[in-house]
Structure formats: structure tokens, C-alpha cells
Amino acid sequence: MDNQNNNIYSNDNVNSDDFNAGDNINAINNVNADNDINAGNRINNSASDNRGNIGDLYGMNDLRRNAQPPRKKKSQGFASGMIIGAVSAFMAVILLILSVAAVCIAKGYIHIGVNGDVYIQSDAVTDSDGIGSEVEGKLNAIDSVLESFYFGDVDDETAKDNIYKAYLSSYGDKYTMYYTADEYKALKESTNGKFYGIGAVCQLSGEGGVLLVDVYDNGAGYQAGLRSGDRVVNVDGRDITDMELSSAVALIKGDKGTSVTLEVIRGTERLTFSAVRDAVEAKTVSYTLLDNNIGYLSISQFEEVTTKQFKAAVEDLQSQGMKGLVIDIRNNPGGLLDTVVGMLKYMLPDGLIVYTEDKQGNRKEYKGQDNDEFNLPLAVIVNGNSASASEIFAGAIQDYGKGTIIGTQTYGKGIVQTVKPLTDGSAIKFTIAKYFTPKGQDIHGKGVTPDMVVEYDTDADVDTQLDAAIKNVEAQIN
């Protein structure tokens, strides 16, 4: 997904059309404006009257008759006047704050979501103008014609979602897009690496249904009896043999504590298992210790859980006597910028890891400052599907000369996206900056060039790229 996701949960949100105006906002304006101002006037008048009353109470009328009040009475009157003055000043501040709030609401800085949440943003964003207003009339005219004469039925919600998607696609940037509320929920699950389900990696089976490629041994599915290689053909009585993968997986996943019944094919047997869905942490890192004490570590994606899994894997390999390491990021599409930065802090000496520049030329630097550094022989395997965060990882390792980059030219995605949630649960993702390696390599459209170019030979008996990486690390050890 390739986001700069330190903004993903930000309150600085763009809000959708339905929540920027209307009766609720007007009601707030009424509360914060005229009534309070009038109340302030009444307080001022009351303060003047009270001073007269205080004077009577402490003998001010006697002053006119007797020429001089007691000193004690004068100081008390002065103190009361000071208190009233402070109250008046406080009310003035309150009125100023309320007036600023009213202006902010009017300008679009404050928005109220359907769930009652208040969103505050640094830039004015309203639904009162813009391209939506410009095309509204024509869209309604088209809709009116089609409603009268179009033969089929149309789902209005689907139509609106497709309009939003089409508008963002018109920017010509394939990384700028609109997510429906359901799509955004799934996106958050995929980036934080946590969801509720049975704990298994799935892929479509050529025989129909979903193949459980990897059933986590600590997951609900394994505990229920499911095993890697099982082919799921039915979920809760629903046949999924002709269903697309995302739809089938959506049926298997669900809320924590709920149960799901899966019918699977295992060899020649047809078996049924019932599992209670639980929290699942995606496995983004797998590793093993190869011959000659060379560690092999594969990273499938850079998600929130990946940094922790990566450090644990490296430390475990070291405890087993690892003398060198091969990191495989082939076919890794990328992920979160903060995640790859955290991993590189663990690998590199303190210093610049990566930097971004926006369209105004503003530069943001990410540095390592924790004294962590990996000091064993290292090789990193890449290919044409290693993208975004994978290229940040490979580029930084290469710039610092920390390891040998082996394989083929990487994908060439050197731009950063952020996601802004909207108040109705949907979201927009858009490109905000370009990133550069520590030495200033501009990867976008170019990719990272390996130190050792090795093609993957599909006809060979071994993984030619992995074999080359192992031999490279062995040479560094010796």
C-alpha cells in the first residue's frame, strides 16, 4: 500500500460532503454567538449596578453626608471592584474564544462526523465550492434521464462510490485513490498486521476454493485441527469453490469470539472443523539457519508488526550461532515508511537513513540515533517486484556499504503516500512526497541497481539468486 502512515490516524482529516454544513453547525453558531454576547452585555450592566449596591452597603451614601468613609470600608470596596473587573476580563476572553470558534466553523476548520466526533484541521475544507459544485447540475441531469429511461436497476451507493473513485483516478496517479468504508477498514487491518480470524495464509486453489498455504501453529485454525495444505470448499454452509479470494477470506474472517465452520478437502478426505475466531498477527518474517551457520530471513511486507518480528528473528539466529545473513525481499511490494526506518535503525550505524521532499521542496529526514548496528556479513536479494519500502531498505544498505545487493533491478517506486480518513468511514490515499536514499539516489522510475546482477533461472535445479547470495556471504566470512 506504500503509505507514509504516521498520518494515518491523524485528526487533521478532510471531511466528506455530508458533514461540513447544515443544521448542526448552525446550531453551534447560535450557541456560540448572539446569546453569549447578549449575556456578556447583561454581565457588564449588572457589574455597574453592583458597584452602586456595594457603595450603599459600605457607606458610600454616608460619604456624601459625612465627607469621609472609614479606611477599612474603602479597601473592601476597592477589592470588590477588582474581583468584578477580573470577572469582566474573563468573560471578555470567553467571548473572544467563542467568536474565533464561530469563525473557524464558518471557514470549515471544524467539522462534526456522523458519530459525533469533532475534527479540527489546519486548512479550510468545505463542501460549499469546488469541482463537486461545478458538476452537480450535470450529474443530476444525467441521473434524471437514466432514471426515466435506463432499462436496468442501479445501486445508488455503488454509483456514488464509483464517482469518487473515478474522480481520484483522473489525477493520473495510480497510487491516489478512494476507499469505501469497508475497503478502508480492510486497509487498516492489512497495514497494522492484526485482524481476527483463524490464523492462516490463503490463496486461490486451481481445484476450486481456498488453499490454506500456511496455518499458524498458535492460531485458532490450528487449534481446531486445520493444517497447511487443506483446501477450504465451504464456509458456514456456503459453497466457495467459485468465489474470488477476497470474498472467501471475508467469510472466514470475523469478529473476535465468533465461530466459523469450515469444510475442507485433505487428500481424499472431506473434513469439517469449527474454529473460534481470535486475534491474528500476520507473519511477515520467516527465517531459518542454513548450512555453514548462514541465516536466511525473508520479509514479505513492511507492516506495523514487521519491525518486532524482524528483530526477534535476527536475535534468534544470532543465538543459534549465525555467522552471516541473507535477507530476501524479492516480491516484497513495500509497506510502511516508519517500519522500514525502524528496521534500518537496527541494521545501520547512526546517521541519515532516508529523506523525503514534497512539491514545495520541503525536506524531512529520518535518522538512526540508537547505537544499534548489525556487524555480520550480509547480502540482500531483490528483484523487479521489490518496491517502495523494499527499495528504501536495499538503497540504504547499499549506500552505507553494509551488505551486497544481489538480484535484478528493483521496481522503481520512490514516492510516498498518506491516507486521510473521512468522517463517514471512507478515506482517500494520495501521493505527498518523493523519497531519496542517504546518498541522494532518486529511485522513482529507476529502481535500485544491484551490486551483483543475477537473473533467476527457472530451469535451474536451485534458486540461482539465493545460491549467489549464500556464496557471497560465505566469501565475506572466509
Side-chain angles (χ1 to χ4, degrees), residues 41-338:
N41 291 334
R42 287 196 296 274
I43 288 171
N44 292 334
N45 292 335
S46 176
S48 300
D49 294 340
N50 286 340
R51 282 194 292 272
N53 294 335
I54 290 170
D56 290 340
L57 181 63
Y58 288 106
M60 293 297 284
N61 290 336
D62 291 339
L63 175 62
R64 299 187 187 96
R65 295 191 297 270
N66 301 327
Q68 186 173 357
R71 288 182 180 272
K72 184 175 180 180
K73 306 297 185 183
K74 181 178 180 181
S75 63
Q76 288 174 337
F78 175 75
S80 299
M82 290 290 290
I83 292 172
I84 292 170
V87 171
S88 298
F90 175 75
M91 291 304 300
V93 171
I94 294 297
L95 290 173
L96 177 62
I97 292 172
L98 292 175
S99 63
V100 170
V103 170
C104 287
I105 291 172
K107 289 190 173 183
Y109 300 134
I110 298 177
H111 301 283
I112 299 178
V114 290
N115 59 355
D117 288 346
V118 176
Y119 296 83
I120 302 174
Q121 50 199 48
S122 57
D123 300 317
V125 178
T126 72
D127 62 351
S128 60
D129 52 17
I131 195 168
S133 300
E134 294 176 10
V135 302
E136 179 182 9
K138 189 169 184 177
L139 277 175
N140 286 338
I142 293 172
D143 183 60
S144 179
V145 171
L146 292 177
E147 188 174 356
S148 299
F149 301 106
Y150 180 66
F151 180 78
D153 296 324
V154 176
D155 184 296
D156 287 344
E157 291 304 315
T158 301
K160 286 187 284 187
D161 287 338
N162 287 335
I163 289 171
Y164 305 144
K165 288 178 181 291
Y167 174 62
L168 290 192
S169 71
S170 72
Y171 276 67
D173 174 15
K174 63 181 178 181
Y175 304 110
T176 293
M177 60 187 67
Y178 171 84
Y179 295 101
T180 66
D182 288 341
E183 289 169 344
Y184 180 47
K185 181 181 177 182
L187 177 68
K188 288 189 290 184
E189 287 182 350
S190 69
T191 55
N192 66 29
K194 295 180 180 179
F195 53 90
Y196 298 113
I198 63 170
V201 177
C202 305
Q203 70 179 38
L204 275 180
S205 170
E207 300 175 82
V210 170
L211 184 66
L212 302 183
V213 179
D214 185 12
V215 178
Y216 303 159
D217 55 14
N218 61 344
Y222 189 91
Q223 294 172 11
L226 293 166
R227 296 294 182 264
S228 299
D230 287 348
R231 179 165 60 94
V232 183
V233 293
N234 193 289
V235 180
D236 286 336
R238 184 171 178 180
D239 189 316
I240 65 165
T241 52
D242 294 322
M243 193 174 290
E244 64 175 359
L245 182 62
S246 59
S247 299
V249 170
L251 293 177
I252 298 172
K253 291 162 59 177
D255 295 332
K256 181 178 181 180
T258 59
S259 63
V260 58
T261 299
L262 305 178
E263 190 174 328
V264 306
I265 304 296
R266 180 183 297 172
T268 58
E269 296 182 283
R270 194 177 188 98
L271 306 172
T272 301
F273 300 94
S274 182
V276 178
R277 298 180 179 100
D278 202 352
V280 177
E281 183 176 283
K283 268 173 50 176
T284 60
V285 175
S286 58
Y287 65 97
T288 188
L289 190 65
L290 304 174
D291 294 338
N292 300 326
N293 289 324
I294 294 176
Y296 171 78
L297 189 154
S298 176
I299 307 168
S300 62
Q301 208 160 288
F302 294 91
E303 300 176 354
E304 284 185 14
V305 297
T306 307
T307 302
K308 178 186 71 174
Q309 294 177 3
F310 175 74
K311 291 180 179 179
V314 173
E315 290 168 3
D316 188 28
L317 289 169
Q318 287 176 324
S319 71
Q320 297 179 50
M322 176 177 65
K323 295 180 180 179
L325 177 63
V326 174
I327 296 178
D328 190 346
I329 51 176
R330 290 175 293 180
N331 303 312
N332 184 324
L336 302 178
L337 180 61
D338 284 349

